[in-house]
Amino acid sequence: MATAAVSVTCLRAVVASSSSSSSSSSCYFYSRRHLPTTSRTPKFAKPHFVSLPSFVASRPLVVAASAMSYDKEFAAAKKAASLAARLCQKVQKELLQSDVQSKSDRSPVTVADYGSQAIVSFVLERELSTEPLSLVAEEDSGDLRKDSGKDTLQRITKHVNETIATDGSYSASPLSPEDVLRAIDTGKSEGGSFGRHWVLDPIDGTKGFLRGDQYAVALALLDDGKVVLGVLACPNLPLASIAGNVTSENAVGCLFYAKVGSGTFMQSLDGSSPVKVHVSDIGNSEDASFFESYEKAHSMQDLTSSIARKLGVKAPPVRIDSQAKYGALSRGDGAIYMRFPHKGYREKIWDHAAGCIVVTEAGGVATDAAGQPLDFSKGRYLDLDTGIIVTNQKLMPSLLKAVRESLEEKSSSL
Ligand code: AMP
Ligand code: MG
């Protein structure tokens, strides 16, 4: 499995130093690359793993009748995300500077981004061939169709074919570069409030991927505008809780998956027995810890620090990339996730759809900053009021109050 490709075995919460005295002056960055540190251990929730008896784990999960109809799609999604993650792990290992291209928005795009999208599209098409595939995904093949993209396309095609071959269930002849371009371009759907649409971020947290840190392959299915299933493959996330700043467990590579009405499960990417996970049950916000983006540009850290102060949160923020935050939250590694993009940024549905169902099926709540549910039915973008907050049922009222007060203070100070 893929974890064998990950050479670094220790994890450290790096206590960042800063001259500021605010509560955001230190935080924990989760990185695979560092050694454990024992200083300044914050108060974290205990992980909430519920082991399934082996007779349950080895049989199909008992699901609510309402969710039965997505079984085939669920299986296809797990297979697609796991295979895509395998490609990403291989590319991350081999990552060369020349893999990085630039898009008009300057965000890095890698061979793995395109390869991951092509694999997911390929697997969904193969596994669900009876239905037309509508896929809302981040990448398109525009740059790859240019002369300057030819080498990259060759490398993507090679990685895609090698990865598909590792699965063994697809015996057809290898994909041509044109097949790969077509598979990538399946992702051009606009989504919407009717019918079924797959939603994919082929590599969420590209910056984390390039740094060698956290990233996720995030795949969800919308049915009439509602997220009905989601899968998050997090190749660098430790299987053990990342609550606290030391883990003795070295294994990484988590697959989270959730189907409406059926709860959230986690297993290792190499296919161990699933465990049912649950969000933290902390009711006192002083004991809570919170996740936010590693990238300052993705969320206003002065605002989250003000909210955390109001809640009496003592632990420093835990900053990690990607929807791995939703996965970690779903198993109770922390109690809150806050995301407040800078003015003008429009959130995309693929950055939250899979994470949202993973956390809500684990008992959590995800809303915008005004407490409204996230609406995935409006096309490629989320129509949001200001930001996204995620926590458990008990903490949501006080989190909303702190958010409202901090936002009011912020706007009155402008
Ligand atoms: P995270 O790793 O949680 O910081 O989120 C990664 C995602 O943030 C990427 O997949 C991008 O789609 C998204 N993103 C890119 N630019 C911004 C921005 N300026 N503000 C908020 N999110 C962004
Ligand atoms: Mg993303």
Side-chain angles (χ1 to χ4, degrees):
M1 141 341 185
T3 52
V6 179
S7 57
V8 180
T9 53
C10 293
L11 185 114
R12 181 180 83 155
V14 180
V15 181
S17 61
S18 155
S19 55
S20 159
S21 61
S22 77
S23 68
S24 68
S25 63
S26 65
C27 72
Y28 290 92
F29 293 123
Y30 273 93
S31 164
R32 299 166 40 251
R33 297 167 300 171
H34 302 106
L35 295 171
T37 179
T38 49
S39 63
R40 304 191 56 169
T41 307
K43 224 172 173 182
F44 285 95
K46 290 222 166 62
H48 284 64
F49 298 162
V50 184
S51 290
L52 288 180
S54 55
F55 69 89
V56 174
S58 61
R59 284 193 341 220
L61 302 169
V62 179
V63 295
S66 62
M68 289 300 282
S69 55
Y70 303 110
D71 284 354
K72 204 170 159 212
E73 288 77 6
F74 203 26
K78 283 187 249 178
K79 185 169 184 177
S82 304
L83 262 186
R86 198 176 294 170
L87 178 145
C88 296
Q89 287 169 298
K90 185 158 173 277
V91 177
Q92 192 181 50
K93 212 175 150 207
E94 296 169 6
L95 190 65
L96 302 170
Q97 196 54 39
S98 59
D99 284 331
V100 183
Q101 299 184 327
S102 70
K103 276 198 294 203
S104 53
D105 69 357
R106 308 298 300 164
S107 59
V109 178
T110 65
V111 167
D113 253 325
Y114 291 118
S116 170
Q117 184 161 322
I119 291 217
V120 169
S121 164
F122 171 85
V123 173
L124 293 181
E125 289 251 351
R126 283 300 174 99
E127 299 291 327
L128 308 167
S129 53
T130 50
E131 305 161 27
L133 179 65
S134 169
L135 179 64
V136 185
E138 184 161 25
E139 307 302 341
D140 69 59
S141 73
D143 288 348
L144 295 175
R145 290 182 186 272
K146 295 176 186 158
D147 274 355
S148 56
K150 270 193 180 136
D151 284 353
T152 311
L153 177 59
Q154 292 297 341
R155 294 169 64 197
I156 295 165
T157 306
K158 181 173 163 283
H159 279 295
V160 167
N161 282 320
E162 285 173 3
T163 307
I164 289 172
T166 63
D167 182 67
S169 53
Y170 305 110
S171 55
S173 55
L175 300 188
S176 67
E178 189 53 40
D179 295 331
V180 169
L181 291 173
R182 260 199 307 272
I184 292 168
D185 281 339
T186 310
K188 282 183 172 167
S189 170
E190 290 296 318
S193 55
F194 298 106
R196 290 186 179 186
H197 305 281
W198 290 93
V199 180
L200 170 69
D201 196 338
I203 294 189
D204 182 39
T206 327
K207 291 187 170 135
F209 177 81
L210 291 169
R211 260 189 266 110
D213 289 338
Q214 298 302 327
Y215 65 98
V217 178
L219 179 62
L221 177 63
L222 302 183
D223 198 348
D224 287 345
K226 298 270 186 290
V227 187
V228 293
L229 65 85
V231 179
L232 279 182
C234 306
N236 288 339
L237 190 67
L239 288 163
S241 170
I242 59 168
N245 60 353
V246 177
T247 176
S248 54
E249 175 63 69
N250 294 325
V252 296
C254 303
L255 186 71
F256 296 91
Y257 46 94
K259 188 167 58 161
V260 63
S262 304
T264 299
F265 294 82
M266 185 195 83
Q267 64 184 58
S268 78
L269 268 173
D270 62 2
S272 61
S273 295
V275 289
K276 190 167 193 185
V277 293
H278 203 274
V279 294
S280 155
D281 63 1
I282 282 180
N284 180 353
S285 58
E286 290 183 15
D287 298 333
S289 64
F290 75 95
F291 290 113
E292 64 181 351
S293 287
Y294 182 99
E295 295 288 334
K296 274 198 181 102
H298 292 180
S299 187
M300 292 186 277
Q301 294 179 355
D302 53 345
L303 183 60
T304 54
S305 124
S306 145
I307 296 163
R309 250 195 323 270
K310 285 187 191 302
L311 289 168
V313 169
K314 297 191 204 87
V318 181
R319 294 181 177 143
I320 64 173
D321 302 282
S322 85
Q323 287 171 71
K325 291 187 276 296
Y326 283 103
L329 205 71
S330 77
R331 64 183 190 190
D333 291 8
I336 297 170
Y337 169 24
M338 292 191 268
R339 183 182 190 88
F340 291 92
H342 295 271
K343 204 169 163 31
Y345 182 76
R346 294 179 77 192
E347 292 279 10
K348 325 288 192 308
I349 59 171
W350 53 76
D351 279 326
H352 301 284
C356 188
I357 191 164
V358 160
V359 101
T360 53
E361 281 296 319
V365 197
T367 72
D368 71 8
Q372 296 303 311
L374 304 183
D375 182 353
F376 293 93
S377 73
K378 297 274 166 62
R380 291 170 77 85
Y381 295 95
L382 281 171
D383 240 355
L384 274 188
D385 181 10
T386 313
I388 292 177
I389 52 177
V390 192
T391 187
N392 64 21
Q393 312 263 357
K394 289 185 203 162
L395 288 175
M396 190 46 108
S398 47
L399 177 57
L400 270 169
K401 181 168 175 282
V403 167
R404 193 175 55 245
E405 287 171 6
S406 293
L407 285 170
E408 279 167 11
E409 281 168 19
K410 189 171 165 60
S411 65
S412 64
S413 71
L414 294 176

